[in-house]
Amino acid sequence: MDPDMRLDTKVVHGPRHEHDPHTGSHRIPIYQTSSFVFKSADHGARIFRGEEEGYVYTRLGNPTIDYLEDKVAFLEGAEAGAATASGMAAVSAVVFTLCNAGDKVIVSDPVYGGTFAFFELAKKKFNIEPVYLPAIKFPELLEDHIDDRTKLIYIETPANPTLDIVDIEKTAEIARKHGIPVAVDNTFATPITQRPIELGADIVLHSMTKYLSGHGDTIGGIVVGKKDFIHTLKHDVVSHIGSNYCPFNAYFILRGIKTLAVRVRKHSENAMKVAQFLHDHPMVEKVLYPGLSDHPLHEVAKKQMNGMYSGVLSFIVKGGKEAGKKLIETVKIPALAVSLGDTDSYIEHPASMTHSSYSDEELEKAGIHQGLIRLSVGLEDPDDLIEDLDRALNSLKI
Ligand code: LCS
């Protein structure tokens, strides 16, 4: 497939026509097997020694999963990919591939609460030290914190749940000077909106649970990057820890990606409309959405996000935490649930839910207001969502 194809074609057809070479099945079959049979004893031994390509055991590789890994790598403009059991398995695989005990990771702040909890665990159990720098000033502060122990720069942009933006290009420029790899969690943006490798990053990871799946019915993660790095990550970390993916779920993600471009565009349009409505509502104190021109890093978002700004936004209502909790129980359309990137809208309270691994002081330092409400805008008619939110917001006045 031509790598210059437009994104809408790439999500449907790339990187190769998806049909099973053995049967001609137009959709990739789910190779639901644990083992693959060798042609002979020597054939098995050659595969184990790496002298011949071939499948052995699904923890080490599987054709359905291979299709998915090649597809996401193609969309991100990377050489190779490794799918993992969850987004968290992708985060931990990147860190364990690059860092040993005593090493340091510089992390943008905030990140998803589970990612923060993982970094704290890695510090306690393996002496890998996270250094958190505020997302919005990340490139400005970065150089002063780099030293011989720094083995990874890890950024999440847009950040969960504040939608803070990290300038990827500037970060990568500084990192390159010091020879330190930059990993970008691209979950909120997707390759339709943001392409970190083209901006100079080395590694991209996703919680595929979100937009890549798109239908809220499965969990998964993926890491893409250079061939050698992905080979090490797959064979020295993921396969030993056992955080590999499974073919059944890979099928669902392959199916989800077919509509990724149209979905992401519509999620983003809907979120922009809802953000503008909330911005002008008298019961709303603040809206955090990089598509709004008063967002502190709107210009950076405009530069690196392809004119779309994610389907997720956050806001603070007048009356703070208690009013926010009432609001999330009053709205009728969004599910009161965590996760995002689904066809259906979700609403939640980060301080007590997705980011409950942060202490009150850590929340404050990360800019996560106690009253912040996060809304993942789905594919419903945005006017219905707006009417629902308007009714719920007005009920807070009473
Ligand atoms: N990275 C980001 C940016 C995320 O938002 C999440 C999950 C992960 C990584 C981890 O992915 P998982 O293991 O769940 O596939 N974010 C969630 C959230 O905001 N609500 O529920 C999960």
Side-chain angles (χ1 to χ4, degrees):
M1 281 282 155
D2 178 0
D4 294 331
M5 286 185 307
R6 289 162 184 82
L7 272 171
D8 286 60
T9 313
K10 283 183 173 178
V11 295
V12 179
H13 292 297
R16 40 198 155 122
H17 276 298
E18 280 170 25
H19 62 256
D20 181 32
H22 307 296
T23 61
S25 165
H26 182 224
R27 282 292 179 258
I28 289 304
I30 305 172
Y31 283 92
Q32 193 65 29
T33 184
S34 45
S35 304
F36 296 82
V37 178
F38 306 127
K39 292 177 197 136
S40 66
D42 281 347
H43 174 230
R46 281 198 301 279
I47 295 178
F48 265 93
R49 283 200 300 269
E51 291 166 12
E52 191 173 325
E53 291 219 343
Y55 296 105
V56 171
Y57 186 64
T58 283
R59 177 159 52 75
L60 311 175
N62 173 290
T64 314
I65 300 169
D66 278 1
Y67 265 92
L68 173 63
E69 292 172 339
D70 291 352
K71 178 133 208 155
V72 179
F74 180 66
L75 295 178
E76 289 286 4
E79 288 177 9
T84 53
S86 65
M88 286 318 306
V91 175
S92 54
V94 169
V95 174
F96 290 147
T97 304
L98 293 167
C99 301
N100 296 318
D103 290 342
K104 205 166 108 175
V105 187
I106 304 183
V107 186
S108 61
D109 193 20
V111 285
Y112 166 55
T115 303
F116 179 77
F118 165 73
F119 278 118
E120 293 303 298
L121 178 81
K123 178 165 72 180
K124 201 165 86 186
K125 288 224 180 261
F126 306 110
N127 191 27
I128 295 169
E129 186 198 344
V131 175
Y132 303 102
L133 301 180
I136 57 168
K137 283 189 273 172
F138 195 83
E140 289 79 3
L141 300 173
L142 179 59
E143 201 143 29
D144 281 349
H145 290 84
I146 292 176
D147 62 24
D148 290 349
R149 290 196 297 129
T150 311
K151 294 292 151 51
L152 172 64
I153 292 164
Y154 182 99
I155 59 181
E156 187 181 289
T157 181
N160 187 353
T162 56
L163 282 297
D164 283 346
I165 299 292
V166 180
D167 189 320
I168 300 173
E169 217 168 3
K170 274 195 190 161
T171 301
E173 220 176 275
I174 297 163
R176 201 174 312 117
K177 270 203 314 201
H178 295 270
I180 302 167
V182 175
V184 179
D185 184 331
N186 205 23
T187 300
F188 271 41
T190 84
I192 304 302
T193 299
Q194 178 170 276
R195 304 167 59 70
I197 288 179
E198 287 171 10
L199 297 168
D202 304 278
I203 299 157
V204 176
L205 62 113
H206 285 270
S207 165
M208 297 196 295
T209 314
K210 311 299 173 344
Y211 290 103
L212 298 186
S213 153
H215 294 76
D217 51 9
T218 191
I219 299 275
I222 197 157
V223 184
V224 302
K226 287 250 160 44
K227 247 188 190 132
D228 288 351
F229 166 74
I230 293 296
H231 187 273
T232 309
L233 177 140
K234 249 185 181 175
H235 298 286
D236 295 352
V237 176
V238 170
S239 70
H240 293 338
I241 289 178
S243 50
N244 56 286
Y245 209 34
C246 74
F248 192 75
N249 285 352
Y251 174 84
F252 278 111
I253 309 282
L254 277 168
R255 178 167 146 139
I257 291 174
K258 292 271 182 189
T259 55
L260 184 67
V262 281
R263 282 190 290 104
V264 165
R265 212 170 285 130
K266 183 72 173 134
H267 276 294
S268 172
E269 266 172 41
N270 285 3
M272 188 72 195
K273 210 165 165 184
V274 172
Q276 276 161 343
F277 158 77
L278 290 171
H279 184 264
D280 297 337
H281 200 287
M283 285 304 289
V284 174
E285 208 159 283
K286 195 172 183 187
V287 182
L288 309 180
Y289 188 64
L292 295 175
S293 54
D294 63 3
H295 185 282
L297 286 178
H298 174 65
E299 288 308 316
V300 177
K302 211 161 134 182
K303 177 183 79 167
Q304 71 187 25
M305 293 184 72
N306 199 17
M308 290 173 272
Y309 301 95
S310 178
V312 186
L313 57 88
S314 289
F315 59 102
I316 303 164
V317 292
K318 288 202 174 128
K321 183 175 175 178
E322 286 316 307
K325 280 168 73 177
K326 190 170 166 212
L327 178 94
I328 63 177
E329 289 179 347
T330 309
V331 285
K332 289 203 168 96
I333 297 175
L336 174 44
V338 296
S339 203
L340 55 104
D342 184 2
T343 51
D344 308 19
S345 293
Y346 290 69
I347 200 160
E348 65 114 10
H349 176 238
S352 66
M353 296 174 186
T354 48
H355 291 71
S356 54
S357 56
Y358 284 70
S359 66
D360 284 353
E361 298 77 61
E362 286 160 348
L363 285 173
E364 195 179 335
K365 193 166 152 268
I368 306 170
H369 191 280
Q370 288 285 348
L372 197 72
I373 299 301
R374 191 188 74 186
L375 175 67
S376 170
V377 179
L379 300 180
E380 301 94 346
D381 188 315
D383 289 335
D384 286 329
L385 279 172
I386 285 170
E387 282 168 26
D388 190 20
L389 284 162
D390 191 38
R391 189 185 47 79
L393 283 165
N394 292 332
S395 78
L396 299 177
K397 284 189 233 163
I398 305 155

